[in-house]
Amino acid sequence: MRKTSTRLLSLLSLLQARRDWPGSVLAERLEVSDRTVRRDVDRLRELGYPIATVKGPDGGYRLEAGSNLPPLLFDDDQAVALAIALRIATTAGAGIEEAAARALITLRQVMPSRLRHRIDSLQITAVERSTAQRVDSEVLMALSVAVHAREELRFDYTGSSAPRRTQPHHLITWGGRWYLIAWDLDRDDWRTFRADRITPRVPAGPRFTRRELPGGEVAAFVRSRFQGAETWPCQGEVVLDLPAATVSRYTHDGVVEELTDDRCKLALGSWSWKALAAELGKYDADVEVIGPPELKSAFSQLADRYTRAAAGAPSP
């Protein structure tokens, strides 16, 4: 029985690792027969895992999304990364703090001691900004879905007597707050709405064709609304492999735009190109430079400088 249970866990781990698995490859990996793989797949299905049979010359299996979230397996690095992300989420100010804390407790309870020691060493103290306003996570999700689906959105807005009808284009953060950039259908103009003042109405409206923002980009538009004239001599844009909610907590003067759940665009300024490149390094994530060319050059120059420093070589 113990051998069978171990094999089931190994099979589940393999199914989570990639989309499609030929049955013969699974049998080879597990060192069992094709018939045993079929029986083990049936056992996992009985436990609630939605495993589909893939037809074709090779045949095989696929772990699909189901109506319920089944138990998942994580390797050590994945478990630690998830725990750190949950701990950071408890300070996010996005209405998910309590749920993140409960999820972290659940994860920690089943962690082996060697991993618990690693995450327990990470202590984060959240210092609230006096002007920060919490946003309900359901509101953020509704706004994000409308932006990605390009569906008209109706919502009640604090301070407005009538519901607003909009075409939502971007969900961003600025100065610790979440904002929705949308085309206001009743005013026939662009508007920026604070997310903490929005109460979405259902159902969503029809799909719309995306418009081009004044200035052609989100960063320029937001700065024109919030800052007026540009304040930094060097302005650049990058894509970071981090969620917008994570980046926004450490960005005070930049514009953060959500691209996907785990990637965002950041527009930031500084007094020099090298200072800007160094500032972007604090996010500890892969960086894709959108522009301008001066920022790419600054990254290259800093890379040479840091390489020499790491090698102990004198400056040229």
Side-chain angles (χ1 to χ4, degrees):
M1 178 62 71
R2 183 175 180 180
K3 183 177 180 181
T4 301
S5 300
T6 301
R7 191 175 65 246
L8 286 177
L9 291 174
S10 298
L11 174 58
L12 180 58
S13 179
L14 290 173
L15 290 171
Q16 289 178 171
R18 78 183 199 194
R19 182 170 175 81
D20 294 323
W21 280 96
S24 58
V25 175
L26 287 174
E28 181 180 350
R29 288 289 191 94
L30 299 172
E31 298 181 349
V32 296
S33 65
D34 290 350
R35 182 180 179 183
T36 299
V37 170
R38 288 195 297 271
R39 286 202 306 264
D40 288 348
V41 167
D42 288 338
R43 291 190 181 99
L44 289 176
R45 286 169 175 161
E46 292 172 359
L47 294 173
Y49 291 94
I51 302 175
T53 300
V54 179
K55 297 181 179 180
D58 296 329
Y61 304 96
R62 174 188 303 156
L63 182 62
E64 296 187 331
S67 57
N68 297 310
L69 182 65
L72 303 175
L73 289 177
F74 299 100
D75 60 32
D76 285 5
D77 289 340
Q78 288 175 324
V80 171
L82 180 59
I84 292 175
L86 288 171
R87 178 153 289 176
I88 293 174
T90 61
T91 69
I96 60 172
E97 292 79 11
E98 182 182 349
R102 287 189 285 109
L104 179 59
I105 292 172
T106 301
L107 179 62
R108 186 185 180 282
Q109 286 177 340
V110 298
M111 274 186 163
S113 59
R114 67 180 186 277
L115 299 184
R116 283 200 302 271
H117 293 324
R118 290 175 64 183
I119 66 167
D120 287 346
S121 64
L122 177 68
Q123 298 296 328
I124 299 174
T125 301
V127 179
E128 298 287 349
R129 298 183 188 177
S130 58
T131 58
Q133 296 292 327
R134 294 184 180 273
V135 184
D136 189 290
S137 60
E138 293 298 324
V139 172
L140 288 180
M141 287 298 299
L143 300 182
S144 180
V145 168
V147 168
H148 286 286
R150 298 184 183 179
E151 293 178 340
E152 291 184 7
L153 182 68
R154 295 186 308 126
F155 55 83
D156 296 315
Y157 195 65
T158 303
S160 178
S161 58
R164 311 300 288 265
R165 297 188 312 117
T166 66
Q167 294 176 344
H169 280 66
H170 301 279
L171 182 63
I172 68 160
T173 63
W174 175 273
R177 284 196 177 107
W178 288 89
Y179 293 91
L180 177 70
I181 299 176
W183 178 264
D184 193 314
L185 293 168
D186 294 321
R187 291 157 179 78
D188 201 30
D189 195 8
W190 290 100
R191 290 290 188 272
T192 303
F193 301 95
R194 276 177 49 174
D196 59 290
R197 296 178 178 175
I198 292 177
T199 303
R201 291 191 170 201
V202 292
R207 292 176 62 86
F208 62 87
T209 301
R210 187 178 295 276
R211 300 170 185 264
E212 184 176 351
L213 275 172
E217 58 178 13
V218 178
F221 174 81
V222 173
R223 287 199 183 98
S224 68
R225 294 297 174 102
F226 288 100
Q227 285 186 309
E230 302 289 352
T231 57
W232 290 111
C234 300
Q235 302 274 343
E237 277 194 326
V238 299
V239 173
L240 298 175
D241 285 346
L242 284 175
T246 300
V247 174
S248 66
R249 287 196 300 276
Y250 309 103
T251 304
H252 304 295
D253 297 323
V255 180
V256 185
E257 178 189 355
E258 181 184 61
L259 297 179
T260 64
D261 290 343
D262 54 4
R263 299 183 82 226
C264 67
K265 182 190 294 185
L266 172 62
L268 198 62
S270 189
W271 58 274
S272 75
W273 292 113
K274 292 188 181 68
L276 178 56
E279 174 73 7
L280 292 166
K282 76 177 183 182
Y283 295 100
D284 192 22
D286 287 341
V287 180
E288 175 188 338
V289 179
I290 299 177
E294 291 85 351
L295 180 56
K296 290 186 177 181
S297 177
F299 271 111
S300 177
Q301 294 172 37
L302 281 184
D304 292 340
R305 180 179 296 173
Y306 292 157
T307 299
R308 291 194 300 271
S315 299

